[in-house]
């Protein structure tokens, strides 16, 4: 009998790699380059916002007490003693009957406790002196943005691990982060194995296929925010593959191979793990596709043997590689976000293994529906193109029906969750 592998539950496989997760490093980079990177430190408010009381409108700063007599038939007048725009500091303190002409964003003069918008004020000049009159009463504090009303100094604004989007970037700029500490992108090596593999620019030949896995994995790595290094495609040859795997291991933070991981006569990855004396964490998982997914540690480096079958390779990455990379990238929610959905088709045949069906989700009548994105086979590549979720169909003795409640893992989501 060939060597028998014992399948372990998906959760167990995930926890075995999780226990061996490496921590990430930090880069200090200019704010212009931080899009889609993750913060490696908490961001606190280095000052209050606003740091001075300011006007939200173009108008007049005045003392509300001076408006108590104002009414529809009675206007009150103010002597305009100063004129300031945003960025200019008021020099005059306001006394009874005085107003400052003030623009949006300018600091409120001492003595003033409200802003009257231009729209309720009339202006005139008398003997070269500017005046303003109005017929409305004002309340103390009306139309004033108080110092610290948005954020107090020392407040935690954005936790470490957050991905930097345009809003986060605005906050960083507000607080003077010209350089930002972000998680360093781990470099993941990719090696595709298979004598049948052609490059993407080669013409198809009988018995051969183009290498799609290397491009797919590179793209999955990029989606997570890490970097990759492609070491090329190799023929199924033990010595050559061993040499390339050992060389690559020394140059990357993590290594992924595709193909050659099952029990075929030209599946050399198991022999390579032996030769490397790698610590094999698992080599059979009770899941479909991707049951032959293998993970090992060589030295300190995680080494994944993903299946050659494209869908199995894809799912193996999402379940076992992605959370580790997201952890290295300082994500506090490294696992795929899992939500409830309504199954949109029948899966009548039971399967002892848990299935991860490449799916797309739609929303109607307030609920999420999950439908297969193509043929549900491990060797299929086309169902991946339209997949934005994996529908989880737990292994067991029953099938599933259209309308059943299921759980789906979201592939394009950027928030994630704390546990699998
Ligand atoms: N007797 C058994 N046979 C197989 C078993 C088993 O348990 N017993 N497992 C099957 C399962 S499940 C899978 S999945 C595959 C896994 O195969 P490998 O990981 O060893 O991959 P290969 O044999 O190298 O290739 C499988 C398949 O994938 C194509 N391939 C490979 N590399 C690429 C690539 N870079 N881009 C696109 N397609 C690729 C390859 O041509 C093969 O068709 O084993 C089953 N067999
Ligand atoms: O590993 Mo295979 O993908 O279960 O089909
Ligand atoms: Mg094989």
């Amino acid at each position: 009998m060939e060597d028998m592998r014992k399948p372990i539950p998906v959760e167990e496989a995930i926890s075995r790699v999780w226990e061996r997760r490496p921590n990430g490093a930090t880069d200090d980079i200019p704010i212009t380059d931080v899009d889609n990177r993750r913060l490696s430190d908490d961001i606190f408010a280095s000052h209050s916002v606003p740091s001075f009381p300011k006007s939200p409108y173009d108008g007049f700063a005045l003392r509300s007490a001076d408006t108590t007599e104002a009414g529809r038939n009675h206007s009150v007048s103010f002597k305009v003693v100063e004129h300031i725009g945003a960025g200019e500091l008021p020099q005059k303190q306001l006394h009874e009957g005085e107003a400052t002409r003030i623009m949006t964003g300018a600091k409120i003069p001492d003595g003033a406790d409200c802003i009257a918008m231009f729209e309720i004020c009339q202006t005139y000049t008398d003997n070269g002196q500017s005046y303003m009159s109005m017929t409305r009463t004002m309340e103390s504090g009306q139309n004033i943005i108080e110092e610290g009303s948005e954020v107090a100094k020392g407040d935690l604004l954005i936790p470490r691990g957050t991905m930097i989007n345009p809003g986060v970037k605005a906050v960083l700029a507000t607080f003077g982060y010209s350089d930002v500490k972000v998680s360093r992108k781990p470099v993941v090596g990719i090696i595709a194995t298979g004598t049948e593999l052609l490059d993407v620019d080669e013409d198809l030949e009988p018995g051969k296929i183009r290498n799609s896995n290397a491009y797919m994995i590179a793209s999955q790595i990029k989606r997570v925010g890490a970097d990759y290094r492609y070491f090329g495609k190799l023929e199924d040859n033990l010595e050559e593959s061993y040499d390339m795997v050992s060389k690559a291991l020394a140059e990357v933070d993590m290594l992924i191979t595709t193909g050659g991981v099952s029990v075929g006569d030209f599946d050399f990855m198991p022999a390579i793990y032996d030769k490397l004396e790698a610590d094999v964490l698992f080599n059979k998982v009770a899941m479909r596709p991707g049951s032959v997914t293998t993970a090992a540690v060589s030295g300190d480096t995680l080494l994944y043997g993903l299946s050659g079958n494209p869908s199995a390779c894809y799912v193996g990455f999402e379940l076992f590689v992605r959370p580790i990379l997201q952890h290295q990238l300082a994500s506090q929610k490294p696992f795929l976000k899992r939500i409830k959905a309504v199954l949109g088709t029948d899966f009548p045949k039971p399967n002892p293994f848990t299935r991860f069906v490449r799916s797309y989700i739609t929303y109607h009548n307030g609920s999420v529906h999950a439908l297969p994105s193509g043929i549900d086979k491990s060797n299929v590549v086309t169902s991946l193109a339209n997949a934005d979720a994996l529908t989880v169909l737990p292994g067991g003795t029953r099938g599933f029906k259209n309308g059943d409640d299921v759980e789906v893992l979201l592939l394009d989501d950027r928030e994630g969750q704390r546990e699998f």
Side-chain angles (χ1 to χ4, degrees):
M1 173 112 89
E2 303 282 338
D3 115 75
M4 285 290 286
R5 299 184 184 178
K6 192 176 165 335
I8 60 167
V10 177
E11 293 77 8
E12 169 67 19
I14 289 173
S15 79
R16 287 190 193 178
V17 276
W18 182 250
E19 277 162 23
R20 307 298 286 268
R21 69 193 181 281
N23 288 325
T26 295
D27 282 332
D28 215 346
I29 60 171
I31 189 171
T32 44
D33 300 343
V34 299
D35 297 84
N36 299 320
R37 302 289 296 267
R38 285 182 187 274
L39 294 170
S40 65
D41 283 349
D42 290 334
I43 299 293
F44 293 93
S46 50
H47 53 75
S48 58
V49 176
S51 56
F52 53 91
K54 58 159 89 170
S55 174
Y57 296 125
D58 304 317
F60 289 92
L62 47 94
R63 297 158 19 115
S64 58
D66 295 345
T67 65
T68 44
E69 301 300 315
R72 194 185 301 219
N73 300 315
H74 181 71
S75 65
V76 288
S77 289
F78 295 83
K79 184 175 173 187
V80 179
V81 296
E82 199 175 12
H83 182 186
I84 56 167
E88 291 178 306
L89 283 182
Q91 304 296 329
K92 300 234 165 97
Q93 174 165 2
L94 295 188
H95 302 102
E96 187 176 350
E98 292 178 345
T100 293
R101 190 176 174 94
I102 188 169
M103 303 304 125
T104 304
K107 183 169 189 282
I108 305 291
D110 288 343
D113 67 354
C114 64
I115 301 291
M117 295 167 75
F118 279 156
E119 288 83 342
I120 63 164
C121 301
Q122 284 79 46
T123 53
Y124 59 95
T125 36
D126 189 10
N127 261 333
Q129 171 64 50
S130 299
Y131 290 90
M132 178 277 280
S133 69
M134 57 190 282
T135 55
R136 305 254 191 104
T137 57
M138 301 284 299
E139 280 166 31
S140 181
Q142 196 173 340
N143 297 339
I144 286 187
I145 308 176
E146 297 293 350
E147 176 177 346
S149 56
E150 180 179 336
V151 165
K153 182 175 177 179
D155 279 357
L156 172 62
L157 298 170
I158 312 170
R160 124 179 236 276
T162 301
M163 188 171 278
I164 298 172
N165 63 21
V168 172
K169 211 164 161 178
V171 173
L172 292 169
T174 299
F175 293 96
Y177 287 88
S178 54
D179 290 299
V180 184
K181 285 195 170 58
V182 297
S183 53
R184 180 171 303 163
K185 296 181 176 198
V187 178
V188 185
I190 304 173
I191 295 174
T193 70
T195 303
E196 73 279 28
L197 299 180
L198 297 169
D199 264 325
V200 65
D201 56 355
E202 289 185 274
D203 288 333
L204 212 51
E205 292 171 31
K208 305 252 177 173
I209 59 162
R210 291 196 190 89
N211 167 18
S212 56
N213 288 350
Y215 293 90
M216 176 182 79
I217 294 169
S219 182
Q220 288 176 290
I221 292 168
K222 294 293 248 182
R223 173 157 69 184
V224 173
D227 269 341
Y228 69 88
R229 187 148 160 230
Y230 181 43
F231 290 88
K233 62 179 177 63
L234 302 177
E235 302 207 338
D236 295 310
N237 172 302
L238 178 56
E239 285 309 315
E240 261 177 49
S241 301
Y242 172 78
D243 289 347
M244 184 56 95
V245 168
S246 349
K247 170 184 142 63
L249 274 171
E251 297 178 14
V252 295
D253 297 310
M254 177 190 285
L255 182 63
I256 296 175
T257 64
T258 84
V261 84
S262 186
V263 295
D265 294 341
F266 306 101
D267 289 340
F268 292 126
M269 291 314 300
I272 290 173
Y273 299 130
D274 276 352
K275 208 167 162 188
L276 286 169
E277 296 180 11
D279 183 5
V280 176
L281 307 178
F282 55 84
N283 61 12
K284 187 95 182 168
V285 188
M287 63 188 257
R288 283 264 131 77
S291 62
V292 297
T293 306
T294 300
V297 179
S298 172
D300 284 335
T301 310
L302 266 170
L303 167 60
Y304 289 92
L306 301 185
S307 165
N309 273 328
S311 283
C313 183
Y314 184 98
V315 171
F317 180 95
E318 294 299 324
L319 294 183
F320 305 116
V321 184
R322 183 167 173 165
I324 305 301
L325 285 178
Q326 298 201 144
H327 166 76
Q328 272 188 287
L329 284 161
S331 167
Q332 303 301 295
K333 296 178 177 179
F335 295 96
L336 291 173
K337 184 161 215 84
R338 188 188 280 253
I339 61 167
K340 299 218 182 307
V342 179
L343 187 61
T345 190
D346 294 331
F347 285 87
K349 258 176 73 176
N351 196 308
F353 284 2
T354 297
R355 279 172 287 181
F356 294 88
V357 182
R358 277 78 62 217
S359 306
Y360 68 95
I361 55 176
T362 58
Y363 307 88
H364 46 97
N365 290 337
S367 55
V368 182
H369 294 247
L371 285 135
S373 53
I375 303 169
D376 183 44
K377 290 266 165 56
S378 168
N379 59 305
V380 160
V381 70
T382 47
S383 62
L384 294 170
N386 197 26
D388 58 13
L390 299 173
T391 301
V392 185
L393 301 179
T397 50
R398 72 176 191 100
F400 296 85
K401 286 192 312 295
N402 190 341
D404 280 355
D405 289 334
V406 287
E407 291 187 326
V408 298
L409 302 171
L410 300 182
L411 299 168
D412 289 324
D413 162 76
R414 310 221 298 186
E415 190 194 6
Q417 62 180 47
R418 285 182 200 282
E419 276 158 13
F420 177 68

